[in-house]
Amino acid sequence: MLNKDDRFMRLIVFFDLPTKTKYDKKVYTVFRRYLLKDGFIMLQFSVYSRVCKGLDSVESHLKYLRSILPTKGNIRMLQVTEKQYARMEILLGTVRKTEKNAGKQLLLF
């Protein structure tokens, strides 16, 4: 059972898709657009994050992600609690506006 701090989860998707041919670029673009359509925000190039409320939501989004996987490339998914995600440190650069607004997404549930 999840404790109060583990109620909200983060899905982080890391991907490396080929972009050498015109077809590869199209597949990359379609995959990226599906992530955005499903509520993911870009943390940095080829790294996207999404807030989920509980394990049922995580499983639902994982199922969706598995259904849109391209045939080539490398895609990884990491699931962490919101508390763990909040401990992430930016070592170089700044927090983007979309990242700041992503925290407000929790208020929508």
PDB file of all heavy atoms in Angstrom, residues 11 52 54-66 77 79:
ATOM      1  N   LEU A  11       6.515   9.565 -13.909  1.00  0.00           N
ATOM      2  CA  LEU A  11       7.055   8.704 -14.949  1.00  0.00           C
ATOM      3  C   LEU A  11       8.058   9.541 -15.720  1.00  0.00           C
ATOM      4  O   LEU A  11       7.747  10.660 -16.129  1.00  0.00           O
ATOM      5  CB  LEU A  11       5.967   8.236 -15.910  1.00  0.00           C
ATOM      6  CG  LEU A  11       4.978   7.212 -15.405  1.00  0.00           C
ATOM      7  CD1 LEU A  11       3.997   6.852 -16.522  1.00  0.00           C
ATOM      8  CD2 LEU A  11       5.685   5.974 -14.922  1.00  0.00           C
ATOM      9  N   CYS A  52       1.633  11.286 -12.185  1.00  0.00           N
ATOM     10  CA  CYS A  52       0.536  10.317 -12.146  1.00  0.00           C
ATOM     11  C   CYS A  52       0.019  10.237 -10.718  1.00  0.00           C
ATOM     12  O   CYS A  52       0.790  10.336  -9.761  1.00  0.00           O
ATOM     13  CB  CYS A  52       1.009   8.933 -12.572  1.00  0.00           C
ATOM     14  SG  CYS A  52       1.486   8.816 -14.287  1.00  0.00           S
ATOM     15  N   GLY A  54      -1.107   7.810  -8.276  1.00  0.00           N
ATOM     16  CA  GLY A  54      -1.212   6.420  -7.869  1.00  0.00           C
ATOM     17  C   GLY A  54      -0.732   5.429  -8.918  1.00  0.00           C
ATOM     18  O   GLY A  54      -0.467   5.762 -10.072  1.00  0.00           O
ATOM     19  N   LEU A  55      -0.642   4.179  -8.488  1.00  0.00           N
ATOM     20  CA  LEU A  55      -0.113   3.117  -9.337  1.00  0.00           C
ATOM     21  C   LEU A  55      -1.048   2.761 -10.492  1.00  0.00           C
ATOM     22  O   LEU A  55      -0.582   2.359 -11.551  1.00  0.00           O
ATOM     23  CB  LEU A  55       0.186   1.876  -8.493  1.00  0.00           C
ATOM     24  CG  LEU A  55       1.325   2.043  -7.493  1.00  0.00           C
ATOM     25  CD1 LEU A  55       1.481   0.796  -6.634  1.00  0.00           C
ATOM     26  CD2 LEU A  55       2.627   2.361  -8.205  1.00  0.00           C
ATOM     27  N   ASP A  56      -2.353   2.901 -10.311  1.00  0.00           N
ATOM     28  CA  ASP A  56      -3.285   2.623 -11.407  1.00  0.00           C
ATOM     29  C   ASP A  56      -3.042   3.568 -12.574  1.00  0.00           C
ATOM     30  O   ASP A  56      -3.046   3.159 -13.731  1.00  0.00           O
ATOM     31  CB  ASP A  56      -4.738   2.734 -10.937  1.00  0.00           C
ATOM     32  CG  ASP A  56      -5.141   1.599 -10.020  1.00  0.00           C
ATOM     33  OD1 ASP A  56      -4.456   0.554 -10.029  1.00  0.00           O
ATOM     34  OD2 ASP A  56      -6.145   1.760  -9.284  1.00  0.00           O
ATOM     35  N   SER A  57      -2.821   4.821 -12.269  1.00  0.00           N
ATOM     36  CA  SER A  57      -2.533   5.806 -13.310  1.00  0.00           C
ATOM     37  C   SER A  57      -1.196   5.500 -13.988  1.00  0.00           C
ATOM     38  O   SER A  57      -1.064   5.601 -15.205  1.00  0.00           O
ATOM     39  CB  SER A  57      -2.514   7.211 -12.716  1.00  0.00           C
ATOM     40  OG  SER A  57      -2.217   8.164 -13.697  1.00  0.00           O
ATOM     41  N   VAL A  58      -0.204   5.111 -13.205  1.00  0.00           N
ATOM     42  CA  VAL A  58       1.100   4.737 -13.753  1.00  0.00           C
ATOM     43  C   VAL A  58       0.925   3.597 -14.749  1.00  0.00           C
ATOM     44  O   VAL A  58       1.431   3.646 -15.873  1.00  0.00           O
ATOM     45  CB  VAL A  58       2.084   4.330 -12.626  1.00  0.00           C
ATOM     46  CG1 VAL A  58       3.309   3.652 -13.200  1.00  0.00           C
ATOM     47  CG2 VAL A  58       2.473   5.532 -11.791  1.00  0.00           C
ATOM     48  N   GLU A  59       0.203   2.560 -14.340  1.00  0.00           N
ATOM     49  CA  GLU A  59      -0.012   1.408 -15.221  1.00  0.00           C
ATOM     50  C   GLU A  59      -0.757   1.793 -16.492  1.00  0.00           C
ATOM     51  O   GLU A  59      -0.457   1.304 -17.576  1.00  0.00           O
ATOM     52  CB  GLU A  59      -0.760   0.298 -14.474  1.00  0.00           C
ATOM     53  CG  GLU A  59       0.077  -0.412 -13.440  1.00  0.00           C
ATOM     54  CD  GLU A  59       1.345  -1.033 -14.016  1.00  0.00           C
ATOM     55  OE1 GLU A  59       1.292  -1.620 -15.111  1.00  0.00           O
ATOM     56  OE2 GLU A  59       2.396  -0.907 -13.366  1.00  0.00           O
ATOM     57  N   SER A  60      -1.727   2.670 -16.372  1.00  0.00           N
ATOM     58  CA  SER A  60      -2.492   3.137 -17.534  1.00  0.00           C
ATOM     59  C   SER A  60      -1.584   3.841 -18.543  1.00  0.00           C
ATOM     60  O   SER A  60      -1.651   3.573 -19.746  1.00  0.00           O
ATOM     61  CB  SER A  60      -3.603   4.077 -17.069  1.00  0.00           C
ATOM     62  OG  SER A  60      -4.249   4.663 -18.157  1.00  0.00           O
ATOM     63  N   HIS A  61      -0.725   4.715 -18.055  1.00  0.00           N
ATOM     64  CA  HIS A  61       0.167   5.450 -18.953  1.00  0.00           C
ATOM     65  C   HIS A  61       1.270   4.550 -19.503  1.00  0.00           C
ATOM     66  O   HIS A  61       1.701   4.719 -20.645  1.00  0.00           O
ATOM     67  CB  HIS A  61       0.744   6.682 -18.265  1.00  0.00           C
ATOM     68  CG  HIS A  61      -0.295   7.716 -18.011  1.00  0.00           C
ATOM     69  ND1 HIS A  61      -0.801   8.519 -19.006  1.00  0.00           N
ATOM     70  CD2 HIS A  61      -0.973   8.047 -16.890  1.00  0.00           C
ATOM     71  CE1 HIS A  61      -1.729   9.312 -18.507  1.00  0.00           C
ATOM     72  NE2 HIS A  61      -1.847   9.041 -17.221  1.00  0.00           N
ATOM     73  N   LEU A  62       1.697   3.581 -18.718  1.00  0.00           N
ATOM     74  CA  LEU A  62       2.679   2.612 -19.214  1.00  0.00           C
ATOM     75  C   LEU A  62       2.085   1.767 -20.341  1.00  0.00           C
ATOM     76  O   LEU A  62       2.750   1.502 -21.346  1.00  0.00           O
ATOM     77  CB  LEU A  62       3.115   1.679 -18.080  1.00  0.00           C
ATOM     78  CG  LEU A  62       4.389   2.048 -17.369  1.00  0.00           C
ATOM     79  CD1 LEU A  62       4.645   1.104 -16.215  1.00  0.00           C
ATOM     80  CD2 LEU A  62       5.548   2.052 -18.309  1.00  0.00           C
ATOM     81  N   LYS A  63       0.844   1.368 -20.171  1.00  0.00           N
ATOM     82  CA  LYS A  63       0.159   0.589 -21.209  1.00  0.00           C
ATOM     83  C   LYS A  63       0.072   1.403 -22.499  1.00  0.00           C
ATOM     84  O   LYS A  63       0.338   0.889 -23.585  1.00  0.00           O
ATOM     85  CB  LYS A  63      -1.235   0.197 -20.720  1.00  0.00           C
ATOM     86  CG  LYS A  63      -1.990  -0.674 -21.674  1.00  0.00           C
ATOM     87  CD  LYS A  63      -3.349  -1.054 -21.099  1.00  0.00           C
ATOM     88  CE  LYS A  63      -4.139  -1.877 -22.090  1.00  0.00           C
ATOM     89  NZ  LYS A  63      -5.467  -2.227 -21.583  1.00  0.00           N
ATOM     90  N   TYR A  64      -0.286   2.684 -22.372  1.00  0.00           N
ATOM     91  CA  TYR A  64      -0.363   3.570 -23.532  1.00  0.00           C
ATOM     92  C   TYR A  64       1.006   3.704 -24.184  1.00  0.00           C
ATOM     93  O   TYR A  64       1.148   3.604 -25.406  1.00  0.00           O
ATOM     94  CB  TYR A  64      -0.902   4.937 -23.114  1.00  0.00           C
ATOM     95  CG  TYR A  64      -0.909   5.954 -24.226  1.00  0.00           C
ATOM     96  CD1 TYR A  64      -1.836   5.871 -25.259  1.00  0.00           C
ATOM     97  CD2 TYR A  64       0.023   6.987 -24.250  1.00  0.00           C
ATOM     98  CE1 TYR A  64      -1.842   6.797 -26.292  1.00  0.00           C
ATOM     99  CE2 TYR A  64       0.011   7.919 -25.274  1.00  0.00           C
ATOM    100  CZ  TYR A  64      -0.915   7.818 -26.287  1.00  0.00           C
ATOM    101  OH  TYR A  64      -0.906   8.729 -27.300  1.00  0.00           O
ATOM    102  N   LEU A  65       2.042   3.910 -23.369  1.00  0.00           N
ATOM    103  CA  LEU A  65       3.392   4.061 -23.881  1.00  0.00           C
ATOM    104  C   LEU A  65       3.826   2.815 -24.643  1.00  0.00           C
ATOM    105  O   LEU A  65       4.401   2.903 -25.729  1.00  0.00           O
ATOM    106  CB  LEU A  65       4.355   4.358 -22.726  1.00  0.00           C
ATOM    107  CG  LEU A  65       5.793   4.670 -23.084  1.00  0.00           C
ATOM    108  CD1 LEU A  65       5.874   5.921 -23.949  1.00  0.00           C
ATOM    109  CD2 LEU A  65       6.615   4.860 -21.827  1.00  0.00           C
ATOM    110  N   ARG A  66       3.537   1.653 -24.091  1.00  0.00           N
ATOM    111  CA  ARG A  66       3.902   0.401 -24.774  1.00  0.00           C
ATOM    112  C   ARG A  66       3.177   0.256 -26.113  1.00  0.00           C
ATOM    113  O   ARG A  66       3.707  -0.342 -27.037  1.00  0.00           O
ATOM    114  CB  ARG A  66       3.596  -0.787 -23.881  1.00  0.00           C
ATOM    115  CG  ARG A  66       4.573  -0.930 -22.735  1.00  0.00           C
ATOM    116  CD  ARG A  66       4.325  -2.186 -21.925  1.00  0.00           C
ATOM    117  NE  ARG A  66       5.289  -2.281 -20.857  1.00  0.00           N
ATOM    118  CZ  ARG A  66       4.981  -2.225 -19.565  1.00  0.00           C
ATOM    119  NH1 ARG A  66       3.726  -2.095 -19.176  1.00  0.00           N
ATOM    120  NH2 ARG A  66       5.931  -2.318 -18.655  1.00  0.00           N
ATOM    121  N   MET A  77      11.975   3.810 -19.254  1.00  0.00           N
ATOM    122  CA  MET A  77      11.017   4.493 -18.406  1.00  0.00           C
ATOM    123  C   MET A  77      11.432   4.272 -16.953  1.00  0.00           C
ATOM    124  O   MET A  77      11.797   3.166 -16.575  1.00  0.00           O
ATOM    125  CB  MET A  77       9.611   3.935 -18.641  1.00  0.00           C
ATOM    126  CG  MET A  77       8.488   4.741 -18.028  1.00  0.00           C
ATOM    127  SD  MET A  77       8.242   4.568 -16.257  1.00  0.00           S
ATOM    128  CE  MET A  77       8.090   2.833 -16.046  1.00  0.00           C
ATOM    129  N   GLN A  79      10.138   5.079 -12.948  1.00  0.00           N
ATOM    130  CA  GLN A  79       9.006   5.471 -12.103  1.00  0.00           C
ATOM    131  C   GLN A  79       9.544   5.812 -10.723  1.00  0.00           C
ATOM    132  O   GLN A  79      10.241   5.017 -10.107  1.00  0.00           O
ATOM    133  CB  GLN A  79       8.064   4.266 -12.051  1.00  0.00           C
ATOM    134  CG  GLN A  79       6.971   4.312 -11.076  1.00  0.00           C
ATOM    135  CD  GLN A  79       6.225   2.981 -11.088  1.00  0.00           C
ATOM    136  OE1 GLN A  79       6.056   2.354 -12.110  1.00  0.00           O
ATOM    137  NE2 GLN A  79       5.797   2.551  -9.932  1.00  0.00           N
TER     138      GLN A  79
END
